[in-house]
Structures are given as structure tokens and as C-alpha cells.
Amino acid sequence: MRRVFLAGAIVLAGCSGPSGPKMAELTPLASSISVRTVWAASVGKAEDAILFPAVAGGAVFAGAQDGTVARFDAATGREAWRVNVGEPLSGGVGSDGSLVAVGTFEGDVVVLEAAKGGLAWKARVSSEVLSAPVVTGDLVIVRTGDGRLFALDAKDGKRRWLYQRSSPPLSVRSPVGMIADRGFLYTGFAGGKLVSIALANGAVRWESTVSLPRGATELERVTDVVGVPVIADREVCAVAFQGRIGCFDATSGNVSWSREMSSTAGLSVDARYVFVSDDKGAVQALDRAGGATIWKQDKLFLRRLTAPLAIGDVIAVGDVEGYVHFLARDTGAFVGRIATDGSPIRTSLLPLGESFLVQTQEGNLFALSLK
């Protein structure tokens, strides 16, 4: 069956225009916390790809759609090396500090040595690579646009195992992430499924349902898990577009709680709360124990938000105009805002020591600190 991809970050999140809902305009804040730019650098434009940076081994690794991959010092932003892999990038970047992995529209997986950027190996998978590969232990895990997971040997790129499943005819074209933890890989799929897979052999430990497809049309029935699942102690949490959000027992896959929610960005957690950006531009804090709403900040309507990032008593979230907004962890009130370069922030904000990392679609990197 021919599959049709929907551009999740644009089509499904709604758009503002003369005849449609208007994106919320930003109003001045009465007061603002201090936000400092620790360093800034540039890797090159992402264009229509969503290229996540990676933080590993005291370095930041980032890519541009033109094939550029670069390494920067995590503390200073100083560029250590820059290479071009020779073809446009569609997915990346993943790293464990020793290897750096990216994927291309043609289904090539290119793995570089983290120390100096030399080519380690190159392998071919079944279709374009839409998300950042996971480099863990002796494996490089790659997810393709046709819903397959390839586990490649970190030494030479030879296939160790393959996981595949049938997919519905319509799905969200978004870089659905993966996370490895204690010998297992967790990732979501089209149709609202969340899966735990053994890294050793690709065997499925469990499969759970985040959300079931509903509606009369194929478009209404699209309910794909989006973003990167989050591991929180003994639980894994995930959210789906046009579906639900929930937390599951990481060992058994049994649901701890779930509730109605729709997101195209994803979620994050801290000790008390689950934070999520919904598809209308609202940021919500839910009780981690049972999913009850603690607060909802809806003044960023249709600003196409990133997944929230918890930083102490503040929540940070990026938007389509390159702003990073800061909300109070316990109330959701605005406490600060900073502009970057005016281009969309479509990748997740990443912790970076005592600061955090932002990459824009223009390919600029900003290390920001609240201290």
C-alpha cells in the first residue's frame, strides 16, 4: 500500500492566515528573568529537514541539510571540526561521544569518528532517515520513513537486526524519536503504538497503545506517537497526535494513566510533572502520578511550539519565530523571553551542563543560561 505522509509541524498543527485563526501576538512582559547567551555558533540551514543536535562527551554535534556536520565545544562553542558527507541530510544527529551518525534522503547512514570527523563507515537502509539515529553500546539504531528500525553494528555498519511493522496509509511526517535505556529501545509508531524492543536481538518486550485511531476519514484517524518518549524512573511517557498522552510501566508496558491530548511536538517530565505542548500552542503541566491538569498556558496559540524543557523551577519552550519562552514551573506564568535569529525552532531544546542548547532552522546554535 502506498503511504502518504502529512507534514506534521505545519499542516497538522494548524496555520494562521487571512481566513483562518491568527497566531498569538507576543505582548511585553512586565518583568523578566535574566537569560544569558553563553555562546553562539552556526552549522548551516536545516531547510525543510528537522536536524536535531546531539550533546555527548563534552561536545555538541550538529548538522545542516547540505550535508555539513560539525563539532563544537560544549562549554565555549569553539568549532573543533567541520565536514561534508557529500549528500543532503534528512535526519540527525546522534552521538555517544565516540561516533556521530546522520541519515540522508536516499537512505544512507553516515557514521563519523567523533574525535576528528573522519568517516567510520557508511551503510544503506530501506528509505529516508527522518529522525536522529541512536548510538548506544555497540549499535547504531536508525529509523526509516517506512516505519522500520535498523540496528547496525557500530564497528562496520553491518545489520544486526531489523524491526518492521505495517503502517496505515496516512501518517505524520515527523522525526519520531527513540530512546535507549537499560538494554531496551523505546519508540512510538503510526497508529498510536509505543514499543519496547530488546537492544540485544530486536525482540519485542511489549507493545502498548497510547491512542486508538478514531473518526470516519483517514485524516481523522491519524493518531501517531510524536516526539521522543521520555523515561522517568520506572515509567515511560509518550503522546500522540489527535489522541492521548500517557505513562506506562517501563518493564511491562501496562498503562499507569492516560488522558485525551493532541501534540505534534512531544513532552518532558521532572520529579512532579509531565509537561507537554499541544497542537494548538498551549503548554500544559500534568500531575505525573495521575495525569490531572496542574496548569495550562494558552497565550502562545498556534506558535508551533517545541516540546517543553524543565530547567529547575522554569520551563523553556521554543516557537516558530525563534523565541524561547520561560514559564514558572508551578504556575505556568510567563517569567521571561529571549529572541534568537527569527527562524523557527523545530528541534527539542537540550540540556547542556548548567545551560541549554537551541538550534534554529537557519542553523544557528545558541547556548543559553539562566544563571
Side-chain angles (χ1 to χ4, degrees), residues 12 19 23 34 54 87 100 119 160-161 189 219 227 246 257 261 265 282 286 312 318 322 338 355:
L12 299 178
S19 60
M23 182 175 69
S34 176
E87 56 182 306
V100 182
L119 179 66
R160 295 269 292 273
W161 52 260
F189 285 92
L219 183 59
W257 60 264
M261 185 72 65
L286 311 179
I338 188 172
S355 59

Side-chain angles (χ1 to χ4, degrees), residues 2 32 114 144 163 283 310 356 371:
R2 184 177 66 90
S32 178
T144 55
Y163 173 83
V283 183
F356 66 96
K371 295 184 179 181

Side-chain angles (χ1 to χ4, degrees), residues 3-59:
R3 299 181 64 214
V4 179
F5 294 99
L6 303 174
I10 298 177
V11 175
L12 299 178
C15 58
S16 57
S19 60
K22 305 294 185 183
M23 182 175 69
E25 294 185 5
L26 301 180
T27 57
L29 301 179
S31 62
S32 178
I33 58 176
S34 176
V35 184
R36 179 171 60 95
T37 301
V38 180
W39 56 261
S42 178
V43 65
K45 294 182 180 181
E47 302 292 353
D48 56 352
I50 303 178
L51 299 174
F52 286 75
V55 178

Side-chain angles (χ1 to χ4, degrees), residues 326-343:
F326 301 94
L327 313 177
R329 170 183 180 265
D330 294 320
T331 67
F334 287 102
V335 295
R337 180 187 302 141
I338 188 172
T340 56
D341 62 11
S343 70

Side-chain angles (χ1 to χ4, degrees), residues 4-9 11-12 170-174 218-219 222 241:
V4 179
F5 294 99
L6 303 174
V11 175
L12 299 178
L170 286 181
S171 63
V172 179
R173 188 183 189 279
S174 65
E218 291 290 352
L219 183 59
V222 173
F241 172 72

Side-chain angles (χ1 to χ4, degrees), residues 219-230:
L219 183 59
E220 291 173 338
R221 291 176 60 81
V222 173
T223 179
D224 298 2
V225 175
V226 297
V228 181
V230 176

Side-chain angles (χ1 to χ4, degrees), residues 17 67 77 194 278 339 347:
L194 180 67
D278 72 24
T347 67

